Amino acid sequence: MKKIKLILSLFVLTSFVLGCSNENNDVNLDALSNPTNISALMTIKQDNTGKVTFLPRGEGLTRYEIHYGDGTVEPGFVNPGATIDHIYTEGVFQVKIVGVTLNGNKSETIQQLTVSYLAPTNLVATIANVPGNNMAISVQATANLETYFQVLFGDVPNEVPTSFMQGETITHTYAATGTYQVTVTALSGGAATTQTTQSVTISNPILFPVDFESNTLNYAFTNFGGANTIVDNNPAVGAGNGSAKVAKLTKNNGSEVWAGSFLEMGAPINFSTLQKIKLKVWSPQAGITVKMKLENLANSNINTEVDVTNSVANGWEELTFDFTGINNANNYQRIVIFFNFGNAGTGLSYYFDDIQQTSGVPVVSLPLTFESNTLTYTFTDFGGSTASVANNPDATGINTSSKVAKLIKGNASQVWAGSYIELGTPIDFSSMHKIKVKVWSPQAGIIVKLKLENLANSAINTELDATTTTSNSWEELTYDFTGVVNSNNYQRVVMFFNFGVAGTGSSYYFDDVKLSN
């Protein structure tokens, strides 16, 4: 029925127009009145883009003009029943809607438009410790409707926030231990923000291995009986101990026969698997008793001790204290060190370093000489290479060793073919930053690449190239890793010979991989 009425109305209107046309070919535009009931429905998209959609409304008009009120010079033109979009920044705007008739008559109205962005939602801040650095944290964040993030780490007054984007990781290192309030703010396109605050406790416990190299750890020695222990410079940096810093115990003149010092660990020592403790010592005398005593913090009467006699004077040696059968439930957390136990002090100084647990079984470490009859040198080959311990093919010149490592780059092997060996402990770059390798190659002018990797994550790596200058004789190549990040814990040594060239079945040899300055 509605459709029939509409058709009839159109027929009547058409007849009227045709009738008028027959009477007068001109339309009297002056008779058109001004538009009325001008307004606009303004809707803001809730995605913080600032997109506003206008649906103008009115009567007796043929066109609308939208003057946005934000400084845009040209208005938007809209036909009746249609919409138009415009992008705003956040703020309050006076929007003018103009209705225009066919003869140009206009009516207008002004409506206030408030564009206020929504605050971000679902803010999740992830704060984690940085592996290898007890003083540092990493921060990541996600949120909906965010533009970017800012973080305040809470450790300095009048802190300037650090900005970052979603998917980015920000790290921060604290100068001191303590509890800090870390505030992460998600910002939208406007003033609305969302914030979260988390408490972060920065502690720097003394844990194995103890190497005295940290600038943030507090190596708080407690002295007794006339001894005094401090962190000091290494008196003999070399192959036996390349560390820059060590502990120095001075047994003052006339001190007690039992004079010594102790250091408290950040947690009880876990003897469930490793029941031996080793440390490097330097003494001006050989044949003295070095005692290590372990105590419970709450009750020093719960203790155990082991004596070892040193054998080297004026040089570093490694001593191992065997606590096999120790009662792990006693929670030993205090390590007490005595030098020349049983004899009164004479003012001599003793040094110790690198306190750590061990199985007592020798492990592969630098320098790699391949001479040990007890160590197992396990090579992992890839790309078509094969490595093994072999007899020195040319025991002359700078290398008269009996045993060396031999790498065969098989015929048609990959250009990146090589082999690696894993060390028992990470390489310590704290004082020495170069690695020397003796190599023997049948060709001069080839690239020998040395790559170091983290065991847990091979993506953490660093590599350097060196070029041979001789053929069929030994030469020493030096790789300068100055600036290396020691906390990356490089423990895998990877060797490539004639890198970048496919294998031809040639054999290459290397030996005496060692730290150096």
Side-chain angles (χ1 to χ4, degrees), residues 27-212:
V27 177
N28 185 6
L29 298 179
D30 293 335
L32 295 177
S33 59
N34 290 344
T36 58
N37 299 324
I38 304 300
S39 67
L41 176 64
M42 303 183 294
T43 57
I44 303 175
K45 192 170 184 180
Q46 301 298 296
D47 63 355
N48 285 357
T49 62
K51 181 179 179 180
V52 178
T53 299
F54 295 92
L55 173 61
R57 295 181 288 202
E59 298 174 7
L61 51 83
T62 57
R63 188 185 67 181
Y64 296 97
E65 296 175 2
I66 308 295
H67 298 263
Y68 300 110
D70 63 348
T72 302
V73 176
E74 292 294 326
F77 299 100
V78 194
N79 292 324
T83 62
I84 191 170
D85 298 331
H86 188 70
I87 302 298
Y88 283 89
T89 59
E90 193 174 37
V92 178
F93 307 93
Q94 303 302 316
V95 180
K96 181 167 67 175
I97 304 100
V98 180
V100 184
T101 64
L102 190 60
N103 65 350
N105 289 345
K106 297 182 178 181
S107 294
E108 65 182 50
T109 187
I110 293 179
Q111 293 182 197
Q112 181 170 291
L113 170 67
T114 300
V115 178
S116 178
Y117 290 171
L118 297 174
T121 59
N122 300 324
L123 170 60
V124 176
T126 302
I127 301 175
N129 293 323
V130 174
N133 187 350
N134 293 331
M135 303 298 290
I137 62 169
S138 64
V139 179
Q140 294 178 315
T142 60
N144 297 331
L145 302 179
E146 55 80 30
T147 304
Y148 66 104
F149 300 94
Q150 289 184 332
V151 57
L152 294 170
F153 296 102
D155 57 342
V156 295
N158 303 316
E159 181 179 357
V160 177
T162 300
S163 300
F164 64 101
M165 304 297 292
Q166 185 162 304
E168 187 177 359
T169 300
I170 297 296
T171 60
H172 180 73
T173 300
Y174 289 92
T177 60
T179 299
Y180 302 93
Q181 302 302 313
V182 178
T183 301
V184 176
T185 303
L187 296 93
S188 66
T193 62
T194 300
Q195 200 171 81
T196 182
T197 299
Q198 297 182 31
S199 292
V200 172
T201 299
I202 299 297
S203 60
N204 206 13
I206 298 175
L207 301 172
F208 288 133
V210 184
D211 60 10
F212 306 108

Side-chain angles (χ1 to χ4, degrees), residues 314-367:
N314 298 309
W316 286 99
E317 67 176 313
E318 191 168 71
L319 305 181
T320 299
F321 298 82
D322 189 350
F323 290 98
T324 299
I326 192 170
N327 185 351
N328 201 27
N330 283 344
N331 293 324
Y332 295 116
Q333 198 168 343
R334 180 179 292 145
I335 300 178
V336 193
I337 302 293
F338 309 80
F339 279 92
N340 203 10
F341 186 83
N343 294 297
T346 58
L348 293 177
S349 292
Y350 308 86
Y351 299 85
F352 60 99
D353 196 16
D354 296 339
I355 312 171
Q356 57 187 306
Q357 287 182 280
T358 178
S359 64
V361 177
V363 296
V364 176
S365 61
L366 296 187

